[in-house]
Amino acid sequence: MPSSKNAPPTLPTVAAHAGVSADASYPLEGSRPRRTWITNGCIRTTVTLVIFAAYFAWTWPWYFKHGIPLDTDLPQASWSIGVPPDSQTAHEPGIELGTEGVLRAPPLGVPKSLQTKWSQYSPWHALDKYRPPPAACNITQVSARSLILQRHGARYPNLLDGQNYSVAVDHLASADKFRDKRLKFLKEYEYDLGADDLVPFGASQTFEAGQIAFKRYASLVNTTQIPFVRAAGAPRVISTATNWTVGFAAASHQRYQPYLNVIISEEYNNTLNNDCPNAGDGSRETNIWLSIFAPPLAERLLKGAPGAHLSNTDVYNLMAMCPFDSVAKESLSPFCTMFTEEDFRAFEYYGDLEKYYKTGYGEKLGPIQGVGYVNELLARLQGKPVKDHTTHNHTLEFPLDRTVYADFTHENLMVAVYAAMGLFNVTEPLDPRRLPPASHEDPSGQSWIASRMVPFSSRMVTERMACVSDEGEEGTYVRVLVNDEVQPLEFCGGQDGLCELERFVLSQEYARESGRGDFDLCYG
């Protein structure tokens, strides 16, 4: 099985119980008979314990060296202008070690107020504290379901982007001299980031996600109900899925050990990977915005680095080095200090525009790329065979009787799923010539924010549960959480984030009709 060469030791090298029975091993002539107590389960438990111990050994030196971060341990407004210290060190909501027994990923060492301006390159952060279902609802009974769709963890730049980032760094480093002390590190800097693979920080956050999933949905799991796990075929997605399974097993004290059941090749139509050759990529809108915000930044940088030559694209690539270098080194990158808070707001909006006009509502053929997954979601919620004429592969294993499902994918597919379902809809298209207010809330109600929807390790969780209405009638309901925030589900008459299952299914008419011909437009 493919794995990330740069991932931490949480990754299993092979799915130990991927259909290999004890009878598949034959003793050599003259060898001692195999003891009956050495079972596959025993071997799996031992391997997982070793991996968990290695993970702890990897993270413990960081905590031993740095301790629990205090306000004084984080940069105090060193990266930006006008950011109050309390906003930099604000503590993210979520599960802590000691509250639910979850071993958290090591702190990144970067102010949260900066991390959340990295758009789709932001590390995962909870948008709200997880709220259990209402008192009148029950997610512990046999009919309950939890369906998880999760993006891969933080990674190195992809190969082509990394090459472009390196070129941009060389362009700035070619200056005759550096008048700005923040740029002097470039005299000896050499680009040293890997390509495509998970970084250790991203792998540890995925391990954490697996623990959280078990803690929340332990009541749905038993020896006959183990999570069914799928992944798109990119190595970083596969590594994310296997990290998640190890975290899930560790949180269960090895009682329940899920493994990666299905890897779906990205060479063909795939419900966990967006694909539509005739769709736009958002470059028109992002180029408009880049031509507005980048020139002043280039001019400012060149004042501090006379003799260098920078294009608008170079400016964006230098800004992108901030998140990628930071998640790789697990500390604040010197590239971050080259820009201000307002600069990163412009960077963030670039990502918002890209996602909106690539696979979101701003691209006619955006939502169709998420229809296949939505139809699989409907099938699992109803326990009925998939009805889809887009990207679902009927030849692959696809059980309908599991209580927990976990699928691993890319952010562009997640955006397409949101658009196909009707999540995060906006009343007016995003304007590529105007930066929204800092609150992201303008009179149009616009709130399309990539860092909130698809950060690294982002997840959408769909819960099916039994609830009793005010009239005393029991029914089956659905709620959807994105990064722990309950979605309103206004498209199916949601109340407190809950929709009746039947109304939820009816609201997905676009998906149930396989995109009303849009899929053919992708290839015609």
Side-chain angles (χ1 to χ4, degrees):
M1 180 181 298
S3 63
S4 170
K5 65 181 180 180
N6 292 300
T10 59
L11 290 177
T13 57
V14 66
H17 48 320
V20 181
S21 67
D23 295 334
S25 181
Y26 300 95
L28 297 175
E29 183 178 355
S31 64
R32 291 190 297 176
R34 181 180 180 181
R35 297 192 180 186
T36 58
W37 52 266
I38 304 180
T39 65
N40 278 354
C42 178
I43 295 172
R44 289 195 302 270
T45 299
T46 302
V47 170
T48 307
L49 284 172
V50 170
I51 292 171
F52 180 71
Y55 172 84
F56 187 79
W58 170 61
T59 57
W60 176 249
W62 195 101
Y63 286 106
F64 183 79
K65 178 180 178 181
H66 297 280
I68 301 300
L70 302 174
D71 287 356
T72 55
D73 292 329
L74 296 179
Q76 297 295 311
S78 61
W79 66 273
S80 61
I81 297 174
V83 183
D86 58 347
S87 70
Q88 290 194 13
T89 58
H91 188 68
E92 81 173 23
I95 296 180
E96 292 281 351
L97 179 64
T99 59
E100 295 189 48
V102 171
L103 181 63
R104 297 291 302 270
L108 187 57
V110 176
K112 296 296 180 185
S113 56
L114 175 56
Q115 292 185 40
T116 54
K117 291 180 175 63
W118 290 345
S119 196
Q120 69 268 27
Y121 304 136
S122 298
W124 182 84
H125 52 284
L127 302 181
D128 195 4
K129 185 174 182 179
Y130 176 77
R131 289 186 285 145
C137 299
N138 187 343
I139 200 171
T140 63
Q141 64 174 24
V142 68
S143 63
R145 298 286 185 274
S146 173
L147 302 96
I148 300 167
L149 178 66
Q150 180 165 328
R151 184 190 178 191
H152 59 75
R155 60 169 172 83
Y156 293 107
N158 65 45
L159 182 60
L160 179 59
D161 286 346
Q163 292 171 349
N164 292 333
Y165 297 167
S166 179
V167 168
V169 172
D170 289 342
H171 285 173
L172 185 58
S174 67
D176 297 332
K177 58 182 177 180
F178 296 111
R179 292 176 176 169
D180 189 326
K181 64 180 181 180
R182 294 173 299 176
L183 304 180
K184 290 185 178 180
F185 77 96
L186 291 169
K187 291 180 179 180
E188 299 179 354
Y189 179 83
E190 291 186 10
Y191 184 89
D192 59 355
L193 299 181
D196 293 306
D197 293 325
L198 290 184
V199 296
F201 174 77
S204 63
Q205 278 206 316
T206 305
F207 179 93
E208 175 188 316
Q211 296 176 86
I212 292 173
F214 174 77
K215 294 296 182 179
R216 289 184 184 166
Y217 304 110
S219 61
L220 303 183
V221 182
N222 57 46
T223 54
T224 62
Q225 280 291 358
I226 302 296
F228 187 81
V229 183
R230 300 186 303 169
R236 62 180 176 272
V237 181
I238 295 170
S239 296
T240 295
T242 51
N243 271 281
W244 186 93
T245 63
V246 174
F248 192 97
S252 75
H253 301 289
Q254 313 310 322
R255 293 194 302 273
Y256 310 116
Q257 300 174 15
Y259 62 94
L260 180 52
N261 300 85
V262 176
I263 298 173
I264 308 178
S265 171
E266 296 186 3
E267 299 298 319
Y268 311 99
N269 287 340
N270 179 343
T271 55
L272 298 181
N273 187 42
N274 64 293
D275 181 42
C276 181
N278 291 337
D281 61 2
S283 58
R284 174 184 173 274
E285 290 76 16
T286 54
N287 284 337
I288 291 173
W289 179 236
L290 186 65
S291 70
I292 294 172
F293 86 84
L297 303 189
E299 182 180 358
R300 191 180 72 211
L301 287 171
L302 292 177
K303 287 182 179 179
H309 298 280
L310 293 177
S311 67
N312 290 342
T313 301
D314 285 336
V315 171
Y316 176 84
N317 290 339
L318 289 169
M319 299 185 81
M321 281 295 295
C322 170
F324 280 111
D325 198 47
S326 294
V327 298
K329 311 292 177 55
E330 295 185 24
S331 61
L332 184 71
S333 168
F335 288 97
C336 301
T337 65
M338 293 160 51
F339 303 98
T340 69
E341 177 185 16
E342 195 67 15
D343 297 340
F344 277 105
R345 284 195 59 227
F347 177 86
E348 176 186 29
Y349 192 55
Y350 182 102
D352 297 344
L353 289 166
E354 180 193 344
K355 299 311 166 190
Y356 184 79
Y357 287 102
K358 186 172 185 177
T359 56
Y361 295 107
E363 166 56 46
K364 173 178 169 50
L365 298 179
I368 187 60
Q369 299 176 64
V371 161
Y373 177 83
V374 174
N375 283 328
E376 291 180 339
L377 177 71
L378 297 178
R380 286 168 164 174
L381 288 171
Q382 298 176 94
K384 298 179 180 180
V386 179
K387 294 182 180 180
D388 179 71
H389 300 289
T390 63
T391 56
H392 174 70
N393 188 337
H394 294 272
T395 68
L396 299 178
E397 183 182 7
F398 193 82
L400 297 170
D401 59 350
R402 300 296 179 93
T403 53
V404 177
Y405 301 89
D407 293 324
F408 296 87
T409 183
H410 305 272
E411 83 274 18
N412 290 323
L413 184 278
M414 293 188 71
V415 171
V417 168
Y418 297 155
M421 288 178 64
L423 298 176
F424 302 106
N425 207 344
V426 292
T427 57
E428 294 182 9
L430 271 64
D431 186 349
R433 294 176 174 83
R434 183 180 69 88
L435 183 67
S439 64
H440 293 281
E441 295 178 0
D442 61 19
S444 71
Q446 186 167 288
S447 57
W448 181 276
I449 311 168
S451 64
R452 296 173 63 86
M453 298 187 297
V454 286
F456 286 131
S457 294
S458 57
R459 44 259 200 192
M460 180 186 82
V461 181
T462 305
E463 298 174 336
R464 189 182 87 174
M465 63 195 76
C467 300
V468 178
S469 68
D470 294 338
E471 293 75 27
E473 298 181 358
E474 184 173 308
T476 303
Y477 288 77
V478 171
R479 77 170 182 171
V480 177
L481 301 95
V482 175
N483 299 321
D484 287 354
E485 183 176 61
V486 177
Q487 300 303 300
L489 304 186
E490 67 281 356
F491 49 77
C492 56
Q495 296 183 352
D496 295 326
L498 289 171
C499 270
E500 293 181 5
L501 174 59
E502 182 178 357
R503 296 187 68 177
F504 179 82
V505 172
L506 290 175
S507 73
Q508 301 303 305
E509 185 177 8
Y510 178 74
R512 290 188 295 109
E513 295 180 4
S514 291
R516 300 169 183 157
D518 286 348
F519 187 68
D520 294 333
L521 298 179
C522 284
Y523 304 94

